[in-house]
């Protein structure tokens, strides 16, 4: 049952950062988070640290999904576990 839900795109656990659950229970991209992930990806490609990237995002008012400032730890976890 779990495999079938996963294969059909239905939520099976924690919603990964960058996604949201739509009305049908399927994961779909969350635009604001996708923009943040794109920024993080580009800054990581430049070799910046998680701490520096968290500071950049917080300085621009781009907070996490709970509308709290990013820390290096929660930024790294959100980006690696998606």
């Amino acid at each position: 049952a779990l495999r079938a839900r996963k294969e059909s795109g239905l939520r099976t656990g924690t919603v990964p950062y960058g996604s949201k659950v739509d009305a049908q229970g399927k994961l779909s991209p969350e635009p604001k988070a996708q923009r943040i992930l794109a920024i993080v990806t580009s800054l990581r490609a430049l070799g910046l640290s998680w701490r520096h990237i968290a500071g950049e995002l917080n300085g621009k008012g781009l907070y996490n999904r709970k509308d709290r400032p990013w820390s290096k730890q929660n930024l790294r976890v959100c980006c690696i576990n998606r």
Side-chain angles (χ1 to χ4, degrees), residues 65-82:
R65 69 169 59 158
K66 293 182 179 178
D67 206 31
R68 295 182 184 154
W70 289 101
S71 70
K72 68 176 185 175
Q73 295 90 351
N74 66 10
L75 179 62
R76 182 178 177 275
V77 168
C78 283
C79 292
I80 290 176
N81 295 332
R82 55 184 179 108

Side-chain angles (χ1 to χ4, degrees), residues 38-74:
I39 293 168
V40 171
T41 301
S42 65
L43 294 177
R44 285 296 288 172
L46 294 173
L48 298 179
S49 69
W50 292 111
R51 181 184 306 272
H52 186 92
I53 296 169
E56 289 287 322
L57 294 174
N58 294 335
K60 293 178 180 180
L62 299 172
Y63 300 126
N64 65 27
R65 69 169 59 158
K66 293 182 179 178
D67 206 31
R68 295 182 184 154
W70 289 101
S71 70
K72 68 176 185 175
Q73 295 90 351
N74 66 10

Side-chain angles (χ1 to χ4, degrees), residues 15-20 28-34 37 65 78 82:
V15 177
Y17 187 76
S19 299
K20 62 182 177 179
S28 61
E30 199 284 301
K32 178 185 172 193
Q34 291 295 322
L37 289 171
R65 69 169 59 158
C78 283
R82 55 184 179 108

Side-chain angles (χ1 to χ4, degrees), residues 7-24:
E7 288 174 355
S8 66
L10 295 175
R11 180 176 173 213
T12 57
T14 303
V15 177
Y17 187 76
S19 299
K20 62 182 177 179
V21 179
D22 65 17
Q24 291 79 33

